[in-house]
């Protein structure tokens, strides 16, 4: 446990010394500290640091370049709808910080810390450093049958997380691996989300420092493979959209194409098998996953509870699985929204995603942002995520958006001086 306190102290001291670097570096490591690594019995490391950073940002707000935050109205309305769901029909105050503080408020601070190209570089390489730890540790499972970082996280967690550790399902003769993310599916979804960041950076931004980016891309693809989940494969399909904004020579795209060809040659049969299992019940049973038919049963259960309390839902702590075993974890973001939060939660989340679309629309990099948003919605719609929140997605979205925004303003300022 002492190491956790040392790491927390490091991030606090770094943030006091250089606020932007502290916030930008901590964002990836929110995923390492996870949902149950606690600084105090009643406070997670993640929440403690987010609260500290938000408070310090409030004191130092005058030091940042004043600019309009495109999602201000969106975050306020989404927060209000979420808080209402936490207050009615049952009080669930402990749920409020998970989204309002640790995701929305901290993501806003993160956005404000991305002020110039150097900040973008630092943010991307912070994620690259994290990717090496994440996927390097993930590969130790199939190679050496060990998972040291997850073993450590489990040892310092205050509550038993063995349920999330029990991922011994075998698909197509392969065991599922998850690094230190609580579930194998979440691990694969995280790898795909970060893959969008590194591929975009390789094709659009990187100049001479490409070797580590390519290594990072290969590591992320290894995570997509060893998690043995269909959802990340579905999240890869919008990738084709990111090339529409870029004038790319074959020489620049060659490393990416080589990686892609190798991936398809090695994993093509497996990818087709996983995709077939989405629609074919017999293949889904063999794969150990949910078929389309099973998901329709889950939707019908969610709709039944939604109709009983359509405005606010059944409450944040309501668990449909205790009434119907077939519901499992409600394998889509929309099912808990219907069941637990009703129309208020559903409208808030839809409004939030529409605002992200509108934010991307005027950007020169809109197709990259559309691809990322579509991929995230596909994956969130296909399954429930354990241990991965919208904070990671928002940080990647903001990095790409701010890069184009900074480039556009630099061009405008240069033209105005001519």
């Amino acid at each position: 446990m002492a190491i956790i306190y040392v790491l927390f102290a490091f991030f606090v001291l770094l943030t006091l010394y250089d606020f932007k670097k502290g916030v930008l570096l901590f964002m990836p490591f929110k995923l390492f500290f996870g949902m149950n690594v606690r600084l105090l019995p009643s406070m997670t490391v993640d929440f403690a640091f987010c609260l500290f950073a938000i408070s310090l940002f409030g004191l130092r707000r005058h030091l940042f370049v004043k600019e309009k935050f495109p999602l201000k109205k969106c975050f306020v309305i989404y927060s209000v709808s979420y808080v209402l769901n936490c207050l009615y029909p049952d009080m669930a105050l402990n749920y409020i910080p998970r989204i309002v503080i640790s995701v929305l408020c901290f993501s806003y601070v993160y956005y404000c810390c991305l002020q110039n190209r150097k900040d973008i570089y630092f943010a991307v390489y912070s994620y690259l450093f994290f990717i090496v730890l994440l996927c390097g540790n993930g590969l130790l499972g199939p190679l050496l049958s060990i998972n040291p970082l997850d073993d450590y996280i489990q040892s310092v967690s205050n509550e038993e997380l063995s349920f999330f550790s029990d991922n011994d399902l075998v698909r197509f003769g392969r065991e599922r691996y998850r690094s230190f993310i609580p579930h194998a599916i979440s691990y694969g979804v995280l790898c795909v989300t970060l893959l969008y960041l590194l591929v975009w950076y390789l094709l659009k931004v990187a100049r001479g420092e490409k070797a580590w980016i390519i290594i990072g891309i290969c590591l992320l693809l290894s995570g997509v493979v060893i998690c043995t989940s269909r959802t990340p494969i579905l999240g890869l399909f919008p990738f084709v959209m990111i090339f529409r904004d870029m004038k790319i020579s074959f020489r620049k795209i060659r490393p990416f194409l080589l990686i892609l060809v190798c991936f398809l040659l090695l994993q093509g049969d497996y990818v087709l098998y996983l995709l077939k299992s989405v629609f074919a019940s017999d293949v889904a049973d063999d794969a150990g996953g949910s078929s389309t038919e099973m998901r329709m049963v889950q939707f019908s259960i969610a709709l039944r509870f939604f109709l009983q309390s359509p405005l606010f839902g059944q409450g944040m702590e309501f668990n449909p699985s205790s009434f119907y075993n077939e519901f499992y974890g409600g394998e889509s973001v929309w099912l808990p929204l219907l069941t637990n939060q009703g129309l208020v939660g559903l409208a808030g989340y839809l409004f939030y995603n529409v605002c992200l679309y509108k934010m991307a629309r005027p950007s020169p990099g809109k197709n990259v942002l559309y691809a990322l948003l579509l991929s995230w919605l596909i994956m969130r719609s296909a399954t429930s995520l354990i241990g991965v929140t919208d904070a990671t997605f928002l940080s990647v979205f903001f990095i790409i958006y701010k890069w184009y925004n900074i480039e556009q303003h630099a061009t405008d300022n240069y033209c105005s001086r001519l």
Side-chain angles (χ1 to χ4, degrees), residues 134-317:
L134 173 75
C135 299
N137 181 74
L139 283 173
L140 292 178
L143 294 177
L144 301 174
S145 299
I146 59 173
N147 193 348
L149 291 180
D150 184 69
D151 290 342
Y152 176 73
I153 290 174
Q154 298 290 345
S155 71
V156 299
S157 295
N158 286 5
E159 297 174 17
E160 181 59 44
L161 289 179
S162 58
F163 171 76
F164 301 132
S165 305
D166 187 18
N167 292 319
D168 336 348
L169 292 176
V170 174
R171 285 184 177 170
F172 209 38
R174 304 185 187 190
E175 187 177 345
R176 308 178 73 177
Y177 298 96
R178 60 186 182 82
S179 190
F180 50 76
I181 305 301
H183 198 282
I185 298 175
S186 302
Y187 176 46
V189 168
L190 174 60
C191 286
V192 168
T193 304
L194 297 180
L195 194 61
Y196 277 84
L197 175 66
L198 290 197
V199 170
W200 164 79
Y201 188 84
L202 175 68
L203 298 179
K204 182 65 179 179
V205 182
R207 296 294 182 262
E209 72 287 7
K210 296 180 180 179
W212 278 105
I213 302 297
I214 292 172
I215 290 172
I217 290 172
C218 293
L219 286 171
L220 289 171
L221 285 172
S222 76
V224 173
V225 172
I226 67 175
C227 78
T228 64
S229 171
R230 295 160 292 180
T231 300
I233 302 296
L234 295 175
L236 290 173
F237 279 87
F239 244 111
V240 293
M241 296 172 62
I242 74 174
F243 299 103
R244 295 183 61 185
D245 287 328
M246 305 180 187
K247 296 176 181 178
I248 302 169
S249 65
F250 177 77
R251 183 182 60 82
K252 193 169 186 179
I253 203 175
R254 189 169 50 196
F256 174 72
L257 290 176
L258 181 61
I259 294 170
L260 184 62
V261 169
C262 291
F263 174 74
L264 292 175
L265 286 174
L266 294 172
Q267 303 297 328
D269 291 342
Y270 182 59
V271 170
L272 290 174
Y273 166 81
L274 289 180
L275 291 176
K276 187 178 179 182
S277 69
V278 174
F279 304 101
S281 299
D282 55 334
V283 181
D285 291 338
D286 177 59
S290 303
S291 64
T292 304
E293 181 182 354
M294 185 181 296
R295 292 179 189 275
M296 291 304 296
V297 171
Q298 293 173 351
F299 175 75
S300 67
I301 293 170
L303 187 61
R304 190 174 308 163
F305 284 118
F306 166 75
L307 292 174
Q308 293 175 10
S309 180
L311 188 58
F312 288 98
Q314 302 288 343
M316 298 297 286
E317 296 185 334

Side-chain angles (χ1 to χ4, degrees), residues 99-156:
I99 299 297
V100 177
I101 301 296
S102 295
V103 175
L104 299 180
C105 290
F106 189 73
S107 295
Y108 165 68
V109 173
Y110 188 88
Y111 177 91
C112 293
C113 289
L114 296 168
Q115 296 195 307
N116 53 53
R117 292 186 183 94
K118 287 184 178 180
D119 296 333
I120 301 293
Y121 299 147
F122 186 83
V124 171
Y125 276 89
S126 294
Y127 263 118
L128 182 59
F129 176 66
F130 176 78
I131 287 165
V132 172
L133 289 179
L134 173 75
C135 299
N137 181 74
L139 283 173
L140 292 178
L143 294 177
L144 301 174
S145 299
I146 59 173
N147 193 348
L149 291 180
D150 184 69
D151 290 342
Y152 176 73
I153 290 174
Q154 298 290 345
S155 71
V156 299

